[in-house]
Amino acid sequence: SGREKSRNYNETTGIASYEVAWISQAAADQRAGRAGRTGPGHCYRLFSSSVYTRLFPPFAEPEMVTKPVEDVVLAMKAMGIDNVGNFPFPTPPNLAQLKSALKLLNNLSCLEGGAKGAGSGQEDEEGEITDLGRALSKLPLNVRFAKMLLGGVGSGVLDLAIMLVACMSEQSPFLDSFGARAQREEDDEEGGKKEEGEKAPDTEEAARAKKKAKEEEEL
């Protein structure tokens, strides 16, 4: 189908949600290669070559870009990496985002210490992980959602907290989905081409009739 449910990170809100989007061209080619992995095979794609060229990105974005930085920082702190700012990332995060992540973790009581030392080489200024931070790092959720669940447990409203986190993790049901919008664009494009193809014979026939009438007048 050429679509997948991928993580989409919103830098403005700092929340990652899962949305249906097109795969990359590299992923599509890799999937096509599976058809002939153990023997001769065929790959049937449910999308046109025009959609492949126009809508598919050449490569997928690194996971570091599609994941909140505070989740990465908290996981690294839980692993015992004190100086996250000087860690040799294959795809390093933005320094401003790293400082913002450290500040957020301090505000959520996941770290103890200042957040101004990110990337400065001063390990103690990044802060040390707390017991709450270790507990949140074990949950496969965004650190904000994880704290909401723990807060729900302490307040006796875990069911409501789970429902709230589930709603915030998915795309709004009141918004048009990416797949439906892209499918309509493809249908409109194919419909326009079909209309042009249907109008072409009428135009040629009218031109021939006009030419024949002109020849008869000259005679």
Side-chain angles (χ1 to χ4, degrees), residues 61-164:
E61 293 183 342
E63 188 175 359
M64 176 64 71
V65 182
T66 61
K67 189 174 184 178
V69 181
E70 58 267 16
D71 294 349
V72 179
V73 174
L74 184 61
M76 295 176 67
K77 288 289 186 179
M79 295 168 59
I81 301 176
D82 296 325
N83 194 354
V84 179
N86 289 341
F87 187 82
F89 292 97
T91 304
N94 185 281
L95 183 58
Q97 293 180 349
L98 186 59
K99 290 182 177 180
S100 177
L102 290 169
K103 182 179 180 180
L104 174 63
L105 292 175
N106 274 272
N107 294 336
L108 294 176
S109 301
C110 296
L111 297 179
E112 289 180 343
K116 60 182 179 180
S120 63
Q122 301 178 11
E123 299 180 4
D124 56 341
E125 292 187 357
E126 284 192 359
E128 297 181 357
I129 189 169
T130 61
D131 293 339
L132 176 62
R134 293 188 185 279
L136 297 182
S137 65
K138 297 178 181 180
L139 298 178
L141 295 170
N142 178 272
V143 60
R144 307 183 191 191
F145 295 157
K147 188 168 184 180
M148 289 173 60
L149 291 182
L150 290 184
V153 172
S155 303
V157 290
L158 179 59
D159 294 342
L160 296 178
I162 292 175
M163 180 169 37
L164 183 60

